[in-house]
Amino acid sequence: MAVLDIVTYPNKILKEISRPVERFDGELHKLLDDMYETMLAKNGVGLAAIQVAVPIRALLIDLGDEEGKQSKDTLIEVINPEFLEWEGTQKDKEGCLSVPDYFDEVERYEKVKVKFFDRFGKEHIMDADGLLSVAFQHETDHLDGHLFVERLDYIKRKKFEKEWKKLLKKRKK
Ligand code: CO
């Protein structure tokens, strides 16, 4: 397994629309394994394939157990996700490995029902609420070329652009 480089904002790769996975083969499994290693190394709870520059509809979510401990038992591998139902709204602070060190509140659906496939091509249907629901929506946005900062209102978006410039400068030093 390997820790991969994460593509960060404003790299145009992140705007690409990812294509559906057609083969649930060893190549996919290796990518998912490397993505998991990468996500843990960067202290993330979600990661989409496009964030490691692979434009396919695959993503990981691992919110950990009650103590926040992440493992293969709490990992959800999500291939070709599709929302079947959604209801309500909630607002939570979000962050993203492609927008490091920036966190802000985003409005999302409170509950979602999502259909997806696992690494072996087996179909699953899951009801998610709370943070899990947010994670499904945030990660699926990546597959359609969207980042959470695009969902901020005008004033917050301006604040983000300003703070991001400062963060980039700091990182270069
Ligand atoms: Co993200």
Side-chain angles (χ1 to χ4, degrees), residues 46-48 51 95-99 138-139 142 147-148:
L47 185 69
Q51 293 180 274
C96 180
L97 292 178
S98 292
V99 192
H138 176 119
E139 298 310 327
H142 277 297
L147 295 173
F148 80 101

Side-chain angles (χ1 to χ4, degrees), residues 40-61:
L40 292 190
K42 308 280 180 186
N43 297 314
V45 294
L47 185 69
I50 192 68
Q51 293 180 274
V52 294
V54 183
I56 63 167
R57 302 186 85 80
L59 60 91
L60 307 178
I61 296 171

